[in-house]
Amino acid sequence: MAKQINTIGVLTSGGDAPGMNATIRAVVRTALSKGKKVVGIKRGYNGLISGDIHEMGSKDVSDIIQRGGTILHTARCLEFIKPEGQKRGAEMCKVFGIDGLVVIGGDGSFKGAEKLAGLGINTIGVPGTIDLDIACTDYTIGFDTAVNTAMEAIDKVRDTSTSHERCSVVEVMGRDAGYIALWCGITNGAEAVLLPEKKNMSQEELIRMIIENRNKGKRHNLIINAEGSSEDSVKLAKKIEEVTGISTRATILGHLQRGGSPSAVDRMHASMMGSIAVDLLCEGKSNRVVAYKEGKYLDYDINEALEMQKSISEKRYDLSKILSI
């Protein structure tokens, strides 16, 4: 017999991502429409362990769909990695009568959700990360906004780089995944992209390419560097300038990629995924993660999802061909 769900908790964990508020809004309003009580848990698993838990109504999520960040705040919780912390979290769920929990975050957040499911708390994960690094889904909340933010910033860097006939090395976020770098490399018309997932040009090859471009009359070069690649952006820029004599600047875009009003794509998928998460809990399901795959919303067992591998396909993304267009 499926577990009766009367109170649903929602938390955001790990790095924030544009669209998380849209997910929170969808969870709250979908649950209320089904006659369920909803509580918001502040600061991720830290708030769960400490009991920073508050009831949420429809008005609490008014006027947030367009806001970046997360109204519930977020934090990383080292204590929750340990079994003692996980047990404290499960006990706190029981204290507050939380029957089901929606966890919005990345793979680290899902590992915590899986532990809670094993301790009797029905949990559903919703993929919220700008990195697009969750293998079971083609889409993660925040990626679309983040990559557009980065693309627009790089366009501006290129404007000034062209004016001064410089070479620009621009570092984008993504942790160990190169999807933001890949998309920006293509959409910003970069001369080279350095990714964590593949063997990149050596410094010597990169410098030779820049010199050859100069000999052809090209007066500016743009290199996109993923933060997880083997190259240090500042050191690379210094090396290029030393060898070529071309003025070279490193620009690290940093956390601006996590901020800003979410795009229509992020608002739409975040809202759908939040609503589906509540539906799954009300159906008695647990230890699942919502995904968007090949145009359809699906759900996977969290353990299965965490075991999946994701990599940038050499066949699909032949950068030597794409970047020459």
Side-chain angles (χ1 to χ4, degrees):
M1 183 177 177
K3 180 180 177 180
Q4 178 67 35
I5 302 295
N6 296 309
T7 300
I8 293 174
V10 57
L11 64 80
T12 49
S13 176
D16 63 318
M20 281 184 165
N21 283 328
T23 315
I24 295 166
R25 176 180 178 273
V27 168
V28 171
R29 293 197 168 173
T30 302
L32 292 174
S33 74
K34 294 176 178 287
K36 310 300 180 185
K37 178 181 175 181
V38 188
V39 294
I41 301 164
K42 297 287 187 72
R43 299 172 186 86
Y45 292 120
N46 275 326
L48 179 61
I49 289 173
S50 65
D52 195 358
I53 299 170
H54 311 272
E55 186 169 354
M56 299 185 77
S58 184
K59 289 184 71 175
D60 293 309
V61 293
S62 295
D63 199 32
I64 69 167
I65 196 169
Q66 78 282 8
R67 288 168 57 184
T70 162
I71 62 166
L72 292 177
H73 307 294
T74 184
R76 302 189 191 278
C77 182
L78 296 177
E79 188 178 354
F80 207 76
I81 296 172
K82 302 174 183 177
E84 296 79 10
Q86 296 156 10
K87 289 176 183 176
R88 284 184 62 192
E91 285 299 320
M92 199 61 75
C93 283
K94 292 170 185 176
V95 167
F96 281 85
I98 298 171
D99 310 300
L101 182 65
V102 178
V103 174
I104 308 164
D107 50 6
S109 305
F110 295 162
K111 289 175 184 176
E114 185 269 332
K115 298 300 182 184
L116 286 175
L119 293 169
I121 308 301
N122 283 24
T123 58
I124 302 294
V126 177
T129 168
I130 68 169
D131 302 333
L132 195 64
D133 61 349
I134 298 174
C136 70
T137 183
D138 294 336
Y139 164 85
T140 59
I141 294 163
F143 173 76
D144 186 72
T145 305
V147 78
N148 275 285
T149 297
M151 180 190 72
E152 291 167 8
I154 293 167
D155 281 343
K156 293 175 173 63
V157 171
R158 185 152 207 166
D159 286 344
T160 186
S161 177
T162 302
S163 297
H164 290 270
E165 298 183 313
R166 284 182 182 143
C167 175
S168 287
V169 178
V170 182
E171 182 176 305
V172 297
M173 294 180 79
R175 208 171 51 164
D176 296 322
Y179 289 96
I180 294 178
L182 174 68
W183 282 50
C184 286
I186 295 170
T187 59
N188 288 110
E191 277 65 52
V193 183
L194 307 177
L195 304 172
E197 295 91 341
K198 65 191 295 290
K199 189 175 185 298
N200 296 303
M201 283 182 172
S202 66
Q203 283 192 2
E204 291 73 21
E205 290 171 325
L206 196 59
I207 289 169
R208 186 168 65 249
M209 179 200 74
I210 292 168
I211 293 171
E212 288 172 352
N213 285 344
R214 180 177 61 187
N215 294 340
K216 294 174 185 175
K218 193 172 185 61
R219 293 292 174 247
H220 61 87
N221 288 274
L222 173 63
I223 299 159
I224 307 296
N225 187 27
E227 66 176 345
S229 83
S230 59
E231 291 290 351
D232 179 287
S233 298
V234 175
K235 290 180 180 177
L236 177 60
K238 186 177 179 181
K239 182 72 172 178
I240 291 169
E241 183 165 333
E242 285 177 353
V243 176
T244 67
I246 298 170
S247 176
T248 304
R249 298 288 185 272
T251 303
I252 299 172
L253 296 185
H255 286 81
L256 73 85
Q257 294 160 89
R258 282 190 180 168
S261 181
S263 66
V265 170
D266 277 329
R267 296 185 200 192
M268 182 67 181
H269 284 307
S271 298
M272 292 297 295
M273 286 179 159
S275 182
I276 290 167
V278 173
D279 290 341
L280 291 172
L281 284 174
C282 291
E283 291 168 10
K285 293 185 178 180
S286 180
N287 202 44
R288 311 291 294 180
V289 56
V290 182
Y292 184 76
K293 199 83 170 172
E294 297 178 353
K296 297 179 182 178
Y297 293 103
L298 307 168
D299 59 279
Y300 293 92
D301 177 86
I302 289 180
N303 295 307
E304 179 187 351
L306 290 172
E307 288 174 1
M308 293 180 184
Q309 300 295 316
K310 189 172 190 176
S311 62
I312 291 175
S313 168
E314 294 275 354
K315 185 176 181 181
R316 183 177 181 184
Y317 297 107
D318 182 352
L319 291 180
S320 62
K321 180 180 179 182
I322 293 172
L323 297 181
S324 66
I325 294 174

